[in-house]
């Protein structure tokens, strides 16, 4: 009998996973996207756009759409949807897998200042650093508005909301992957003295960490939020193995 899989997306891995599930007989896939980016990359499965309306809304969706399997392939920093998914899958009684790419490991030459939240990142920026590179996306920039005595290069895919007060600096709209040569040049061109980054993991945005290491620039690294308990894998091929086991 045909089974229906819901992938919670918003990452490159979710896109790859959706593509690979097309080769699994007996499986029909829907990818759910929050709709945060104005022009998301192409997804080869059916796509559902927009929030569900909290855990209750997700429960209703899983039931109405008769979803049999759930893979949470959201970004490691998208904690709310992961907790909603955990609660909803348990309630409906369907198997749930989390696909969470490993975080970046600090190497001996890295000058990382590890913090547990965006708010802590603001105060952890070294006082001597006057030119900052903020690469945390566009959704949580508000706490940096108080950095009125610094100059910030802010990079995001889409522009931040018009109501957000940004620190002095420049907005750079760009989408990864970024190469080491590009990132090295960027840090030099803008004379960056400190970087603020989430520990997102993965290859697409790792080059800034490598460039910072080369140039001896400190990186305020925001640690990941706590993920729910449950089955988890680190890559797409292990997700496919989990799926095969469930079919
Ligand atoms: P979040 O805080 O965990 O989620 C906030 C709300 O957005 C959720 O409660 C849900 O709304 C909706 N939502 C999130 N992911 C969804 C999905 N895949 N499909 C349908 N609805 C979803 O998430 P976020 O940090 O705002 O991130 C939003 C999306 O961007 C995620 O899909 C994530 O994978 C992607 N992303 C996030 C980051 C990051 O740094 N946070 C980076 C890259 C990509 P309802 O409660 O109404 O269901």
């Amino acid at each position: 009998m045909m089974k229906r899989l819901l992938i919670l997306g918003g990452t490159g891995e979710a896109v790859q996973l959706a593509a690979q599930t097309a080769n699994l007989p007996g499986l029909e896939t829907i990818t759910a996207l929050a709709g945060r980016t104005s022009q998301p990359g192409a997804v080869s499965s059916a796509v559902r756009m927009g929030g569900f309306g909290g855990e209750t809304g997700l429960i209703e969706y899983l039931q109405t759409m008769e979803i049999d399997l759930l893979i949470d392939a959201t970004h490691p920093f998208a904690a709310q949807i992961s907790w909603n998914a955990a609660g909803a899958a348990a309630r409906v009684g369907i198997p749930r897998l989390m696909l969470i790419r490993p975080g970046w490991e600090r190497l001996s030459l890295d000058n990382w200042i590890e913090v547990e939240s965006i708010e802590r990142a603001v105060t952890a920026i070294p006082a001597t650093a006057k030119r900052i590179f903020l690469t945390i996306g566009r959704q949580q920039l508000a706490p940096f508005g108080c950095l009125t005595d610094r100059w910030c290069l802010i990079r995001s895919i889409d522009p931040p909301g018009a109501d957000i007060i940004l620190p002095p600096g420049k907005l750079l709209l760009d989408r990864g992957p970024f190469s080491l040569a590009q990132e090295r040049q960027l840090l030099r061109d803008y004379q960056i003295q400190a970087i603020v980054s989430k520990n997102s993991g993965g290859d697409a945005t790792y080059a800034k960490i490598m460039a910072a290491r080369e140039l001896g620039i400190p990186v305020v690294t925001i640690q990941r939020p706590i993920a729910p308990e449950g089955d988890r894998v680190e890559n797409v091929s292990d997700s496919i193995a989990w799926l095969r086991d469930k079919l």
Side-chain angles (χ1 to χ4, degrees), residues 187-198:
L187 297 181
R188 284 198 176 126
D189 286 351
Y190 290 100
Q191 298 165 43
I192 297 301
Q193 296 165 320
I195 299 176
V196 181
S197 170
K198 294 174 177 171

Side-chain angles (χ1 to χ4, degrees), residues 50-135:
F52 297 96
E55 186 178 319
T56 322
L58 182 53
I59 291 171
E60 206 177 292
Y61 180 83
L62 296 176
Q63 288 170 334
T64 313
M65 294 300 290
E66 299 180 347
I67 301 292
D68 301 293
L69 300 163
L70 176 62
I71 298 186
D72 173 4
T74 56
H75 191 270
F77 280 83
Q80 185 60 58
I81 187 70
S82 293
W83 284 94
N84 291 354
R91 177 68 184 275
V92 176
I94 59 166
R96 172 185 56 98
L97 176 72
M98 286 172 288
L99 163 51
I100 310 180
R101 66 173 90 123
W104 298 316
E105 299 278 341
R106 176 191 196 142
L107 302 187
S108 60
L109 288 176
D110 282 321
N111 179 4
W112 283 10
I113 302 157
E114 290 178 81
V115 295
E116 63 193 24
S117 67
I118 294 275
E119 288 70 24
R120 290 279 166 88
V122 180
T123 51
I125 297 170
T128 49
K130 299 297 178 203
R131 297 178 66 85
I132 322 288
F133 181 25
L134 294 181
T135 73

Side-chain angles (χ1 to χ4, degrees), residues 148-213:
T148 49
D149 59 341
R150 318 284 180 100
W151 185 94
C152 293
L153 177 67
I154 298 173
R155 184 168 69 190
S156 59
I157 297 175
D158 287 311
D163 53 330
I164 297 174
I165 297 169
L166 300 175
K170 177 175 171 162
L171 181 63
L172 197 62
L173 299 182
D174 207 352
R175 186 197 293 253
F178 303 102
S179 72
L180 177 56
Q182 262 177 307
E183 299 293 59
R184 196 189 281 134
Q185 197 61 45
L186 190 84
L187 297 181
R188 284 198 176 126
D189 286 351
Y190 290 100
Q191 298 165 43
I192 297 301
Q193 296 165 320
I195 299 176
V196 181
S197 170
K198 294 174 177 171
N199 188 343
S200 297
D203 297 336
T205 58
Y206 186 59
K208 65 190 170 196
I209 304 290
M210 294 164 77
R213 183 185 305 139

